[in-house]
Amino acid sequence: MLRYLCCIIIGLCSVKKSFSKPPNFIVIFTDDQGFEDLGCFGSPKIKTPHLDQLAADGRKFTSFYSANSVCSPSRASLMTGCYPVRVSIPGVLFPRHDIGLNPDEITIADLLKTKSYATACIGKWHIGHKPKFLPTSQGFDSYYGIPYSNDMTIDPEAKLAENINLREGFTLDRIRNEKPKKNLVPLMRNEEVIEYPCDQTTLTKRYTEEAVKFIEENKKRPFFLYLPHTMPHIPLFASENFKGKSKRGPYGDTIEEIDWSVGEIMKALRKNNLDEKTLVVYTSDNGPWKLKGGRGGSANPLRGYKFQTYEGGMRVPCIMHWKGKIPPGSSCDEIAATIDLLPTIAGLSGVKLPNDRTIDGKNIWPLISGKEGAKTPHEIYFFYKGNSLESARQGKWKLRRSGKKSQSIELYDLASDISESNNLAQENEALTNEIIQKMNSFDEKLKNAQRPAGKL
Ligand code: MG
C-alpha cells in the first residue's frame, strides 16, 4: 500500500514537472539572406524543402524586420531587444576594434540563465570578439563559431588554444607577426581559437553537428540554442554535398545547405519528442548583399539591399514553428521584429523583464500564436542607419529621409506599393510631418538615454 501511494505521489510530481517545464528556444539566424531566398518566400531557383515544410507546419511572417541593415547592430538588437543605437552598437565591428556589446546588457541568454536554461551560441557572433564580449561572457554556457564576418581577418592578439589546428602552412609565429589576410578567420571554442584559418567549406555542416549534439545532451532540461549561421555572407562556401548543386550558383548552394541543416535540427527535435516543447525561429540578420552579375541574394519584390533602410535591407524572411501552439500553414503580415524576440521569450519562459532599463521590443506571442484579431504592438517602428534615424514604418506607411540634412523625403504606401516606387510625400504633407515629428522625438529621447558599449 505504502509503495502504491509512493508511486502515485511520484507520478503526480512528474506530471506537474512536465507541465511546469518551460519551453525550449532555437533561433536560427542567417547572414545576409534576402527576403525572396526561400522556396516558401518565392525563390524561383533555390530549393528549400525543409524550410518550406517548417512554414507548412508553422507560421510565416511577411512584415518581419531586422533592427539594422548590417551585421553587428542587427545582432546586438536581437540579443538585447533594443534598437542598436540604444546599446551603442550602431555599425559593423572589425577585428581592430576593442569594443563590444556591454556585458552589463541583459541578453536573451542572460535572462534564460535565471531559469537554469542550458544556453549555447553556435555560429557567427559579431558583437565583440575580445573575451570580455564573447558569448561566454553574455549568458551562454558555450560558444563554437567565428567571432565576426567570414571576410575579415584574425586579431593577432587572439587567444590560441594549445592544440590549435593550424592549416595552410600557418604557424603561431606567422599568426602573431604577419599582416592578417582577408577572408582567413579564426574558428573558436569558447574564448580560444581552435582552428586557423577556419575551413569554411565545412562550417555549416559542423555548426549543424554541434547543434544536434547540444539538443541531444540537453533534451531533459530547458535549452536555448542560438544558431547564427556564417552563410550566405560572402565569401560563399558549401560542403561537397552542396557545392555546385543549386540552380542559383554558390549563393544558392549555401542556402540549400542551411536548409539541410534546418532539416537535421527538426529531425533531432522530433526524435526526442521536443517539437511540441520548442519554439523554433528562422530569420536573417539583414537584407542581401548586392553583388555583380546577380551573384548575391534577392529581396524581390522589395526595393534595396543590405546597407539601406529601404525594405530590401531590413525586411527579412521569417518562419516560426512550435507544434501544437502555432497554427500550421498560417502567415502574419503584421509588423514584427527581431527586437521582439527577447520580450516574447521572456514571457514564454516566465522570466521577468528587467525594470531598470528600456527594452524597445514587445511580446508578440499573440501574433505568433495566431490569436484572432491580434495587431502589431508597434504603433511605429524605426530604422536606424548608423547613428541616424533614417526611416520609420507606421501601419502601411513607410517614411525615409536621406541625404545631407535629410533633405530628401520619401513616403510610400506599402499596402499598394511594396516596392517603394511611388513617392507620396508631397500629396500627404500632414502625415509626412507627423511621422517626421515622431521620429525626431523618439530619436532625441533614445539618445538621451543611450547606454554605453562595452570597453576593454
Ligand atoms: Mg549580415
Side-chain angles (χ1 to χ4, degrees):
M1 184 65 184
L2 186 61
R3 188 194 284 176
Y4 178 66
L5 274 176
C6 282
C7 284
I8 290 178
I9 291 165
I10 290 167
L12 284 174
C13 287
S14 68
V15 167
K16 186 171 183 290
K17 206 175 158 196
S18 71
F19 268 81
S20 62
K21 189 185 158 197
N24 308 308
F25 302 101
I26 299 181
V27 176
I28 303 170
F29 206 45
T30 55
D31 196 345
D32 298 1
Q33 181 176 11
F35 184 69
E36 190 196 34
D37 296 326
L38 276 171
C40 55
F41 274 76
S43 176
K45 289 188 177 169
I46 302 172
K47 289 199 166 39
T48 55
H50 298 289
L51 284 157
D52 299 350
Q53 192 61 50
L54 196 72
D57 297 338
R59 191 162 172 84
K60 267 168 53 172
F61 285 78
T62 51
S63 287
F64 194 85
Y65 291 96
S66 70
N68 202 268
S69 67
V70 292
C71 295
S72 304
S74 172
R75 284 144 207 271
S77 289
L78 171 73
M79 277 296 119
T80 60
C82 293
Y83 287 112
V85 174
R86 189 178 296 287
V87 295
S88 297
I89 307 285
V92 174
L93 299 178
F94 285 84
R96 65 175 183 276
H97 288 135
D98 55 10
I99 63 160
L101 181 70
N102 197 323
D104 290 343
E105 289 297 336
I106 296 173
T107 66
I108 298 175
D110 284 324
L111 280 180
L112 293 174
K113 280 317 287 181
T114 65
K115 286 266 177 183
S116 304
Y117 272 64
T119 55
C121 172
I122 299 169
K124 166 176 156 177
W125 177 241
H126 210 179
I127 33 183
H129 70 282
K130 299 286 187 187
K132 188 178 168 182
F133 311 124
L134 284 170
T136 45
S137 301
Q138 309 271 18
F140 289 96
D141 300 329
S142 63
Y143 173 51
Y144 176 86
I146 65 168
Y148 31 63
S149 293
N150 62 337
D151 62 342
M152 294 184 174
T153 63
I154 192 167
D155 172 0
E157 291 174 9
K159 190 175 173 198
L160 309 177
E162 249 176 59
N163 57 348
I164 183 172
N165 174 21
L166 292 169
R167 303 173 59 249
E168 298 178 19
F170 273 91
T171 61
L172 299 182
D173 188 51
R174 281 185 65 193
I175 292 176
R176 295 289 184 223
N177 299 308
E178 276 184 15
K179 188 174 177 235
K181 284 196 178 73
K182 208 172 143 52
N183 295 349
L184 300 186
V185 290
L187 177 69
M188 305 188 71
R189 190 174 292 281
N190 300 325
E191 300 87 28
E192 292 183 338
V193 178
I194 56 166
E195 182 177 294
Y196 182 78
C198 169
D199 178 3
Q200 296 200 39
T201 61
T202 54
L203 211 40
T204 301
K205 193 168 167 237
R206 287 190 281 173
Y207 286 168
T208 309
E209 287 161 1
E210 290 277 329
V212 169
K213 189 168 159 240
F214 173 77
I215 292 168
E216 292 285 349
E217 283 174 358
N218 294 286
K219 59 191 174 193
K220 297 221 166 87
R221 58 186 284 208
F223 62 78
F224 170 44
L225 168 62
Y226 173 45
L227 179 53
H229 278 284
T230 294
M231 299 296 148
H233 192 284
I234 52 168
L236 298 161
F237 291 98
S239 66
E240 279 308 312
N241 287 348
F242 294 90
K243 195 179 166 191
K245 299 284 164 64
S246 157
K247 288 184 180 145
R248 186 61 168 68
Y251 178 86
D253 293 346
T254 67
I255 304 271
E256 292 188 1
E257 184 157 22
I258 288 173
D259 179 70
W260 162 82
S261 171
V262 170
E264 292 300 297
I265 285 165
M266 294 311 294
K267 206 195 288 176
L269 290 183
R270 283 193 298 271
K271 182 186 147 203
N272 293 298
N273 296 320
L274 293 173
D275 52 339
E276 292 185 25
K277 296 170 186 157
T278 307
L279 171 64
V280 179
V281 179
Y282 179 95
T283 190
S284 170
D285 72 332
N286 51 253
W289 210 322
K290 188 180 184 182
L291 299 179
K292 280 181 195 151
R295 290 176 298 119
S298 163
N300 194 37
L302 309 177
R303 177 176 180 175
Y305 292 90
K306 175 177 181 173
F307 305 114
Q308 298 178 329
T309 61
Y310 284 118
E311 291 289 285
M314 308 284 300
R315 200 192 290 211
V316 283
C318 176
I319 303 169
M320 301 211 197
H321 180 281
W322 184 351
K323 191 178 175 190
K325 292 275 200 285
I326 296 181
S330 61
S331 89
C332 174
D333 195 42
E334 291 290 316
I335 298 169
T338 53
I339 54 171
D340 299 327
L341 293 180
L342 178 139
T344 305
I345 287 173
L348 290 168
S349 57
V351 181
K352 275 209 178 79
L353 281 179
N355 56 10
D356 63 339
R357 63 194 69 205
T358 302
I359 304 286
D360 297 299
K362 311 283 179 198
N363 186 337
I364 53 164
W365 180 244
L367 296 182
I368 299 173
S369 58
K371 190 178 170 202
E372 212 180 314
K375 295 285 172 212
T376 178
H378 297 282
E379 187 245 326
I380 183 164
Y381 180 78
F382 300 104
F383 305 67
Y384 276 87
K385 184 174 169 70
N387 276 307
S388 103
L389 178 48
E390 195 174 82
S391 299
R393 180 169 169 187
Q394 178 174 287
K396 66 177 185 173
W397 297 101
K398 167 83 175 284
L399 186 136
R400 183 171 181 272
R401 54 182 180 183
S402 57
K404 274 187 191 150
K405 296 183 186 164
S406 307
Q407 76 275 48
S408 156
I409 304 286
E410 298 155 85
L411 182 74
Y412 300 105
D413 174 357
L414 294 176
S416 62
D417 178 25
I418 198 173
S419 307
E420 296 172 286
S421 58
N422 187 18
N423 185 358
L424 300 172
Q426 278 187 345
E427 292 93 317
N428 296 279
E429 208 184 321
L431 177 65
T432 299
N433 289 336
E434 178 199 315
I435 298 177
I436 289 176
Q437 209 183 0
K438 282 182 188 168
M439 287 169 76
N440 290 342
S441 144
F442 179 82
D443 190 41
E444 194 189 328
K445 251 196 256 162
L446 182 145
K447 283 180 180 151
N448 284 334
Q450 219 175 339
R451 306 196 287 265
K455 296 191 177 72
L456 282 187

